[in-house]
Structures are given as C-alpha cells and as structure tokens.
Amino acid sequence: MPATKKLTLGHSPDPDDAFMFYALAERKIDTHGYDFQHILQDIQTLNERCTRGELHISAISIHAYAYVLEHYALLPCGASMGDGYGPMIVARSREGLTENAGDDEIRDWLRARRIAVPGAMTSAYLALRLFMDNEIDALQIPFDGIFAHVTSGQSKAGLIIHEGQLTYAQEGFVKILDLGDWWRRTTGLPLPLGGNVIRKDIPPEERSVISGILSESIRYGLDHRALAVEHSMPLARGMNIPMADQFIGMYVNAYTMDYGDIGRRAIHEFLTRAHEAGIIPAPVELEFVEAPTPVNNL
C-alpha cells in the first residue's frame, strides 16, 4: 500500500472493547499501512452514527444492524455473545415477586413498572421487548446513569449492560431477570449482543485485509491476556483486575474470534423474532465479510 490510509474505528469505552483493540492502540501488530483512529463513544451513539454511515468500522448492537444494511457488512470477528448470561433487569427490591417467580409472573410485575433502558437500538432493549411481548413502559437513559435513575425512584427497574452485570449487587440492587439466561432457555442459543461492522464502500479485498488485522488484534489480546487486561483497566468502571478479567472473559472468547455456525444462527433467530414481533421493519439477510487470509501471510 503506497501511503497510510486513515480509518475511523468506533468502539465502546468498556474493558472488553479496549481488550480487543489493545494491540491496535499500542501498535503491537502490523496494520499493513492502515492508521486506525479510535473513537470511543457509548453504544447507542455508535448505533446512531452507523445509521448515517459516519464511521468506517464500528462496534454496533446486533439490533441496530437491521437498520444499517445499506451501508455496512458484518465482520466475522468482534462478536459479543451472552452464552447463558447477558443484560439484566435489576431493581432495588423484589417486593411483589415470589421467590422462584417464573417468566409470566416477572412479565406481569414489570408491566406495572417503568423500566430505565440504555438505548432504543441496543440489543439489550430488543431482548427485553421480545421477553415482554413488546408491552413495556420504558424510558431511555444513558447506560451509566441507570443505577442512579432507579435509585432516585424515577424508574422502578433498570436494564443494565456492560459492567453493571457484575457490579449491580455492590450498588444495592437485586436481579429480577437475566435476559441471556431467558434467551438460552427459550432458543438454546447464545444471545447476540454486539458485533463489528465495516462500510461497504471500502473495496471487498480491503475489507478482508482489515478484517484480518482486527482478528489479529483480538488474538494478540487473548495471547497476552494480562497486558491486555491492564490496558483495559482505565475503562473498567467500579471493577478491580479480577472482576475486569471475568467480564472480559464473558464477552471476548471463541465467538469473538468468529461467530461460527451457532453465532450466525443466533443472529438470524434474534432478528427474525424481532421482525415477526413487528419491532424491526423487514427481514434481515446477514452479509458477512469473507474470511480473510491470515494477516501474517499477506
């Protein structure tokens, strides 16, 4: 490549994304003439920017992918999958629920309460709407303000993502429902939460090369775990190193290297159910960047 080519790379200011892109940020791998400009913004903002085609590459909610098909293709690496765990509904108290409340009892309990949610296009909110049969009183709040919003009494429950899934108890909350667990019980599949997308106006052969670079960054982090976790700590809100490492392990794993058949089936099922429920406007045909040639062979 004759000259450095600048690419915008959007991702969330969270330890799992920082872990994935540690090798890029610290220039630990060959980027083959590309200069990645890291743009850290919350996932709802990234979702919205992708609807306008503003970023070359970005983390995105799988829910939001349904709205950006014209501009973006999915990269095979970078998935965040909740394999039996995921976004949670929490509250200050379970009063009114029986000890072993089933799904129907929880639905009735939640329908009588306002729920603070982190963004209209987040996969967490889509999963909640599917669980609630789209009958929900929701109020959008920035993800890092949900605990405070519920504590103030403005909402009676909150839908938490990111590190809140591990820190909710120390913040004085109790779990009402784990949506990743519900999805696994319902479908037998992991819950597809986030992925990485790349703009379609980048030529296909370049998309494949870039995909290989990002895959190599993820692999480098997994191979140099302690250093990558340490790199992520400035973004590990309220977490010590063991807790951050646990959180990273939940969302940077084999699915992150490649969705595989199960991951692809999970996305298809998630978005098909969303369409059948009238939540997204049209069926979604998944378009993935072709598997790249390994970067060290380019």
Side-chain angles (χ1 to χ4, degrees), residues 61 63 87 118 122-129 159-161 179 193 270:
S61 298
H63 179 193
T122 61
S123 299
Y125 185 41
L126 174 54
L128 178 60
R129 292 175 73 180
L159 175 60
I160 55 172
I161 57 176
L179 287 163
L193 297 168
F270 192 48

Side-chain angles (χ1 to χ4, degrees), residues 10-114:
H11 56 89
S12 298
D14 298 295
D16 53 332
D17 278 15
F19 181 97
M20 281 193 277
F21 298 123
Y22 158 64
L24 282 182
E26 297 295 334
R27 302 184 182 277
K28 299 292 187 180
I29 60 173
D30 185 357
T31 61
H32 294 261
Y34 292 97
D35 179 16
F36 295 88
Q37 178 189 355
H38 296 253
I39 297 172
L40 276 64
Q41 293 179 307
D42 70 276
I43 192 62
Q44 178 63 19
T45 298
L46 294 176
N47 290 337
E48 292 170 359
R49 293 193 70 177
C50 285
T51 65
R52 299 187 293 270
E54 291 179 357
L55 301 168
H56 292 109
I57 308 152
S58 183
I60 195 171
S61 298
I62 294 301
H63 179 193
Y65 175 64
Y67 298 93
V68 303
L69 303 175
E70 180 182 353
H71 298 299
Y72 290 95
L74 277 165
L75 289 161
C77 63
S80 295
M81 307 283 282
D83 200 358
Y85 50 81
M88 294 178 181
I89 301 293
V90 299
R92 300 294 286 182
S93 168
R94 288 178 58 91
E95 183 178 359
L97 282 173
T98 60
E99 183 176 354
N100 296 308
D103 291 344
D104 288 340
E105 183 182 347
I106 291 172
R107 285 187 189 95
D108 289 341
W109 189 87
L110 289 173
R111 284 183 181 126
R113 290 160 174 81
R114 173 166 289 175

Side-chain angles (χ1 to χ4, degrees), residues 11-264:
H11 56 89
S12 298
D14 298 295
D16 53 332
D17 278 15
F19 181 97
M20 281 193 277
F21 298 123
Y22 158 64
L24 282 182
E26 297 295 334
R27 302 184 182 277
K28 299 292 187 180
I29 60 173
D30 185 357
T31 61
H32 294 261
Y34 292 97
D35 179 16
F36 295 88
Q37 178 189 355
H38 296 253
I39 297 172
L40 276 64
Q41 293 179 307
D42 70 276
I43 192 62
Q44 178 63 19
T45 298
L46 294 176
N47 290 337
E48 292 170 359
R49 293 193 70 177
C50 285
T51 65
R52 299 187 293 270
E54 291 179 357
L55 301 168
H56 292 109
I57 308 152
S58 183
I60 195 171
S61 298
I62 294 301
H63 179 193
Y65 175 64
Y67 298 93
V68 303
L69 303 175
E70 180 182 353
H71 298 299
Y72 290 95
L74 277 165
L75 289 161
C77 63
S80 295
M81 307 283 282
D83 200 358
Y85 50 81
M88 294 178 181
I89 301 293
V90 299
R92 300 294 286 182
S93 168
R94 288 178 58 91
E95 183 178 359
L97 282 173
T98 60
E99 183 176 354
N100 296 308
D103 291 344
D104 288 340
E105 183 182 347
I106 291 172
R107 285 187 189 95
D108 289 341
W109 189 87
L110 289 173
R111 284 183 181 126
R113 290 160 174 81
R114 173 166 289 175
I115 305 171
V117 302
M121 286 192 289
T122 61
S123 299
Y125 185 41
L126 174 54
L128 178 60
R129 292 175 73 180
L130 291 174
F131 173 77
M132 295 291 292
D133 300 321
N134 213 19
E135 297 177 21
I136 181 174
D137 179 8
L139 182 65
Q140 292 185 54
I141 299 294
F143 79 92
D144 55 357
I146 285 178
F147 284 147
H149 191 83
V150 177
T151 298
S152 73
Q154 297 175 75
S155 292
K156 296 300 183 184
L159 175 60
I160 55 172
I161 57 176
H162 301 318
E163 74 284 346
Q165 297 164 51
L166 295 181
T167 64
Y168 70 90
Q170 70 190 43
E171 298 283 348
F173 290 82
V174 294
K175 180 174 69 176
I176 305 300
L177 177 71
D178 185 320
L179 287 163
D181 173 65
W182 164 75
W183 180 258
R184 166 66 78 178
R185 289 187 283 106
T186 303
T187 67
L189 294 166
L191 179 60
L193 297 168
N196 287 332
V197 292
I198 186 166
R199 253 184 13 207
K200 291 182 180 179
D201 61 355
I202 297 172
E205 62 276 12
E206 289 194 41
R207 291 185 229 162
S208 185
V209 171
I210 293 163
S211 179
I213 295 167
L214 299 183
S215 178
E216 183 67 15
S217 180
I218 296 165
R219 186 177 299 281
Y220 188 97
L222 291 169
D223 289 344
H224 301 82
R225 189 177 190 90
L227 291 173
V229 170
E230 183 180 353
H231 170 81
S232 77
M233 287 307 296
L235 300 176
R237 295 169 293 267
M239 291 190 281
N240 56 24
I241 288 178
M243 187 177 287
D245 189 50
Q246 178 187 354
F247 178 76
I248 288 165
M250 292 166 64
Y251 292 111
V252 186
N253 48 42
Y255 287 119
T256 312
M257 289 304 304
D258 190 284
Y259 287 91
D261 291 340
I262 292 174
R264 286 163 169 77

